[in-house]
Amino acid sequence: MRWAILAFALGAAWLRTQATLPASAWMTLLLPLALAAWLFRRDAGWRGWLGRIVLVLLAGALGFLYAGWRADLRLADDLPRYWQGRDVELVGRVVGLPETTATSARFVFRVAAVETPGARVPTQVRLVWSGYRGEPPPILVGGDCLRLTARLNRPRGNVNPGGFDYPAWLLERNIRAVGGLIGRPVSATACSGAARAGLDRAREWTRARIRAALGDAPYAGVVVALAVGDQDAITSAQWTLFRRTGTTHLFSVSGLHITLFSALVFAGVRRIWRSLPGLNARVPAARAGIVLGWCAATGYTALAGFGIPAQRTLLMLTAGAVFALFDRVPTASRLLAVALAVVVAVDPWAAFAPGFWLSFGAVAALLYAGMGRLRAPPPWRVWVRAQWAVTVALAPLLLALFNEVSLVSPLANAVAIPLVSLLAVPLALLAAVSPWDGIAWAAHAVIVLVTTCMEWLVRLPQPLFHAATPDLAAILLALLGAGLWLLPRGFPARWLGVVLFLPLLFPRLPTPPQGQAWVTVLDVGQGTAVLVRTARHALVVDTGPAFMSGEDAGARIVAPALWHLGIGRLDGLVVSHDDIDHSGGAMSLLGSHRPAWLLSSIAGMADLGPTGRALRAARPDMVVCEAGHRWHWDGVDFQVLHPPTHHYAHPGFSDNARSCVVRVSATPATGGPNSLLIPGDVERLAEMNLLERDALAPTDVLVSPHHGSGGSSSAEFLAATRPRWVIIPVGHRNRFGHPHPDALARYRAIGAGILRTDRDGAVSVRLGAGPVEPERARSTAPRYWWE
């Protein structure tokens, strides 16, 4: 049954790759398939290899259809299109802990009543309040019953190579609409869910208690995260440190912490119980330890807000506790398989989550590495071998999911796991109920010690290894290689495991031929980021926006796309001007991809914003972007057309008017010449200047100036460029109203094809390969939950 259960989980995961859900007629096969699998399992004929294959196929089909049925039910609770963008008055409760900054508040809201006549909204929505500068956000507490006015939208996210799927993340959490508050919420009384509200208030009190004890201590947010699962106060620099050392799983309420905390309670209760003969005679110490250990795990999961990863761990521990209480001692692999089946049956979206496969994979790797040992090695060797086994076994999954694996992870985890799980977590939980602040400071001191070790590790020459997203064959070969590599010493042909890893570590990637340029206009929301690749070089023009959360498109969208494509370092970076929707991700890219040079109009300007000043300080060798700059890569010509030098000395030109304008031209030995124009945010004044200097020529592809605003893309500019395709980098339902209807009308008037990143996702074109045929990311691999 272990293979059948794995097939059931993989079948549920396969649903994620589908553009549509299975037809309703297929859903009727669920019960017959389940009955057939059960009867087939009972029959002795299944034990042959053919029977096992049939059972595995039945289980896989059952998992696929079961996940499809559950998804169909969840998608039915949606926001009607008619009510998208309209104000609705709602009554409901704040679920979980709100994320509050100086200017905004984000929270999940469970709707109890819709007071707008005729309106229908999903049961659970995610809301954000954004105020004007200086206006404080409303004070929100988990469990609050509120009346508020919201403007909701159906879930929609950016679609990019190697990008994060935000709608899938929302679907997994049963959040079926997102939106903003209109005005400020007020208290209400007509709400259900008092039990969950009490839990959320307890979590809120715990968070406040630890924050009051630690004040502005640098790792106070980590201590809070270990106690209640709220990661809001962990800084981006700290997350970067944890990611580079492969320890992000340690700094939240993870399955590892819940399991080890439960084990500590189990061991403590069993020891105390044995010392009490009267109790031990009535209830064996082991059973008492199992029950109270499970209760401890349940309590810790509740304090973490029953987050999805914590729920999965609790289900696994529950399966193990039930077996133990009934004196059933299955093999560890059978217990793991039962836990896998229970988790997927309760929550089929778990099979979508990277953490699900990483956590089960880590346990499976430990079981596999420990089998067949004739004698027990010393404890220190067992611990080192465990870290090595997990690192090797999970490397294929980590590279497939995140395009990186920490090379210092075995050392970092070997030190951090016992300190964090066995010291910091109990201290953080004790600090939540103790009147002594010193306990919270003790937990903080443990975190400081751990992070000090990590900071030393990341200073090593190569703490991280990045690779392009591998194909399925490379992943399967590497998993087979991990299995060989982890066999006991002396097993023949273990060295083949290293060989089988090579396709994963050094994949053969498609690259542009000599004389061609492959261009991708990334979907970064309301902003611009363009990747240009030639045979041996990579250039990024603009880096997308910075977000209110403190993150930016450079780290969240552009860098993952580069890693996905196997680009570890940029040969050049152009930042057209100092607007936050073009320069917001530049600092992140300077750190992650270390461009050989930086070209920007920022270098020639005196009045700069915070991003411009940071860029100038980080790269004093930044080159001023001026008309006339030209370079040649692999048969592809790059030319800067704007701004002319004298524009920097003239105070009348805005940042937009000084945008770098870059033209890319590809003329290969075979195939027709093609060109693309990236004009930044130039508007009519700069367009007229380009025309006066006769700097424009016909182009195949135009990246729309200033996101298709009404003051750009003048008729004269379009007559000079005559693009066949116009790509508009624009945010979905953006507040600027881009693209403007007048600009769209002018594009249609010249017969240009119109592509929009808000509707098409990232748009890719190949220059120098004949007639340009755009590729739309949203159409290349559609998913059933996308709009």
Side-chain angles (χ1 to χ4, degrees):
M1 286 298 289
R2 283 167 287 197
W3 286 106
I5 289 172
L6 180 60
F8 178 77
L10 290 173
W14 187 38
L15 185 74
R16 185 184 175 117
T17 67
Q18 302 303 299
T20 58
L21 289 176
S24 299
W26 287 104
M27 301 296 185
T28 60
L29 295 177
L30 263 175
L31 285 178
L33 272 175
L35 181 61
W38 182 73
L39 292 174
F40 199 75
R41 170 70 177 83
R42 287 173 57 88
D43 188 78
W46 77 278
R47 298 182 187 279
W49 66 268
L50 183 59
R52 295 188 180 193
I53 291 175
V54 173
L55 181 62
V56 165
L57 292 176
L58 283 173
L62 181 64
F64 179 76
L65 292 178
Y66 174 71
W69 171 62
R70 292 285 302 275
D72 190 52
L73 294 177
R74 182 162 288 188
L75 289 178
D77 184 28
D78 66 348
L79 177 71
R81 293 183 187 278
Y82 175 80
W83 287 100
Q84 186 169 226
R86 295 175 177 268
D87 292 358
V88 290
E89 190 167 336
L90 308 174
V91 175
R93 284 198 187 276
V94 177
V95 178
L97 300 181
E99 304 172 16
T100 304
T101 68
T103 58
S104 67
R106 299 174 184 270
F107 58 98
V108 176
F109 191 70
R110 188 167 185 84
V111 178
V114 181
E115 299 194 340
T116 301
R120 180 170 69 85
V121 303
T123 306
Q124 197 157 266
V125 299
R126 193 166 191 253
L127 300 175
V128 59
W129 181 92
S130 301
Y132 295 102
R133 185 173 297 177
E135 184 181 5
I139 298 174
L140 300 172
V141 177
D144 277 352
C145 181
L146 301 175
R147 174 178 283 104
L148 52 82
T149 301
R151 188 171 296 162
L152 300 175
N153 291 299
R154 296 161 69 91
R156 192 177 185 89
N158 308 110
V159 182
N160 292 287
F164 173 67
D165 194 332
Y166 180 58
W169 183 85
L170 293 173
L171 180 67
E172 183 184 350
R173 286 152 180 80
N174 198 22
I175 298 172
R176 300 297 301 129
V178 297
L181 267 65
I182 308 300
R184 301 175 79 89
V186 297
S187 296
T189 56
C191 292
S192 58
R196 175 62 196 245
L199 173 62
D200 287 335
R201 290 194 185 101
R203 298 180 66 219
E204 192 78 58
W205 181 87
T206 302
R207 179 171 70 171
R209 169 74 189 89
I210 296 175
R211 285 179 172 176
L214 294 178
D216 295 330
Y219 293 101
V222 176
V223 178
V224 169
L226 293 176
V228 297
D230 173 38
Q231 302 172 341
D232 186 30
I234 300 180
T235 67
S236 58
Q238 289 167 354
W239 279 125
T240 300
L241 175 66
F242 304 154
R243 179 180 61 82
R244 290 173 67 83
T245 53
T247 56
T248 54
H249 63 288
L250 294 179
F251 297 99
S252 63
V253 182
S254 66
L256 176 66
H257 297 332
I258 294 172
T259 302
L260 290 180
F261 180 66
S262 175
L264 280 176
V265 173
F266 166 78
V269 168
R270 186 174 62 171
R271 178 179 291 271
I272 295 171
W273 207 272
R274 282 175 175 170
S275 67
L276 303 171
L279 289 176
N280 198 22
R282 291 191 180 96
V283 180
R287 288 199 170 195
I290 290 168
V291 171
L292 292 179
W294 179 85
C295 290
T298 304
Y300 193 13
T301 303
L303 193 60
F306 287 103
I308 299 296
Q311 287 184 39
R312 291 198 292 262
T313 302
L314 183 61
L315 288 171
M316 292 172 62
L317 292 175
T318 301
V322 169
F323 273 113
L325 287 174
F326 284 94
D327 292 325
R328 300 291 298 272
V329 187
T331 62
S333 61
R334 285 182 183 273
L335 180 58
L336 184 66
V338 169
L340 182 70
V342 170
V343 169
V344 176
V346 173
D347 179 20
W349 289 274
F352 292 9
F356 170 82
W357 294 104
L358 292 173
S359 59
F360 274 101
V363 176
L366 293 173
L367 295 176
Y368 179 80
M371 71 179 186
R373 304 290 174 182
L374 298 179
R375 58 183 181 181
W380 69 266
R381 185 174 292 177
V382 172
W383 185 242
V384 171
R385 182 178 291 154
Q387 298 306 316
W388 173 247
V390 170
T391 300
V392 171
L394 296 189
L397 294 179
L398 289 169
L399 288 175
L401 295 169
F402 306 114
N403 302 114
E404 67 180 24
V405 61
S406 173
L407 300 181
V408 299
S409 174
L411 287 173
N413 280 282
V415 173
I417 287 175
L419 290 175
V420 175
S421 295
L422 301 180
L423 281 179
V425 168
L427 287 170
L429 294 174
L430 189 58
V433 296
S434 170
W436 298 296
D437 293 352
I439 298 177
W441 281 103
H444 187 272
V446 174
I447 302 302
V448 170
L449 175 62
V450 170
T451 53
T452 300
C453 296
M454 291 180 184
E455 288 168 354
W456 179 82
L457 288 174
V458 297
R459 286 196 289 268
L460 294 174
Q462 185 71 36
L464 274 179
F465 175 80
H466 288 96
T469 301
D471 57 24
L472 180 60
I475 295 171
L476 294 177
L477 284 174
L479 289 173
L480 178 60
L484 285 173
W485 207 349
L486 295 176
L487 286 170
R489 186 177 300 173
F491 198 91
R494 282 181 69 226
W495 60 271
L496 283 176
V498 180
V499 176
L500 292 176
F501 259 83
L502 294 180
L504 177 81
L505 302 178
F506 305 102
R508 296 186 63 184
L509 302 172
T511 55
Q514 182 75 12
Q516 288 190 25
W518 294 358
V519 182
T520 301
V521 180
L522 294 169
D523 177 14
V524 295
Q526 186 63 23
T528 300
V530 182
L531 168 64
V532 184
R533 291 186 290 159
T534 65
R536 291 178 296 277
H537 296 83
L539 171 75
V540 166
V541 180
D542 285 335
T543 59
F547 305 119
M548 290 177 58
S549 64
E551 298 178 291
D552 61 74
R556 284 181 51 182
I557 297 174
V558 184
L562 295 173
W563 297 129
H564 171 78
L565 297 169
I567 300 171
R569 185 167 186 179
L570 289 172
D571 298 285
L573 174 62
V574 175
V575 178
S576 64
H577 61 300
D578 195 22
D579 275 6
I580 199 66
D581 58 334
H582 292 250
S583 62
M587 288 299 296
S588 292
L589 282 185
L590 290 185
S592 65
H593 283 78
R594 309 178 312 282
W597 49 258
L598 172 59
L599 178 72
S600 178
S601 63
I602 292 172
M605 295 166 60
D607 185 18
L608 295 174
T611 303
R613 291 193 295 271
L615 281 174
R616 181 176 285 177
R619 290 296 295 261
D621 59 342
M622 179 169 30
V623 180
V624 179
C625 182
E626 296 175 324
H629 277 300
R630 196 165 193 162
W631 66 97
H632 202 70
W633 283 346
D634 310 318
V636 178
D637 188 61
F638 296 80
Q639 186 177 4
V640 176
L641 306 182
H642 186 81
T645 304
H646 69 272
H647 276 204
Y648 290 107
H650 198 296
F653 291 106
S654 66
D655 283 359
N656 286 355
R658 294 193 183 108
S659 290
C660 285
V661 177
V662 179
R663 179 183 173 90
V664 183
S665 305
T667 310
T670 58
N674 299 124
S675 62
L676 172 137
L677 188 65
I678 309 171
D681 274 355
V682 298
E683 294 181 295
R684 185 173 179 82
L685 178 63
E687 291 175 0
M688 292 301 102
N689 182 269
L690 284 162
L691 288 166
E692 288 172 2
R693 292 187 286 109
D694 199 23
L696 298 174
T699 185
D700 294 272
V701 183
L702 171 67
V703 178
S704 176
H706 200 195
H707 317 286
S709 69
S712 66
S713 302
S714 63
E716 298 86 348
F717 177 83
L718 294 177
T721 53
R722 299 200 300 274
R724 293 182 57 238
W725 295 97
V726 176
I727 303 173
I728 309 174
V730 65
H732 178 61
R733 301 178 72 89
N734 66 85
R735 61 190 178 93
F736 304 101
H738 295 160
H740 195 278
D742 291 347
L744 292 174
R746 290 193 288 269
Y747 298 148
R748 294 189 185 103
I750 62 171
I754 299 173
L755 302 159
R756 297 172 49 163
T757 57
D758 62 333
R759 296 178 179 176
D760 300 308
V763 178
S764 299
V765 296
R766 297 189 176 188
L767 306 180
V772 173
E773 294 296 335
E775 182 179 285
R776 303 162 176 85
R778 200 173 282 275
S779 303
T780 302
R783 298 292 182 259
Y784 69 83
W785 58 86
W786 286 356
E787 279 289 286

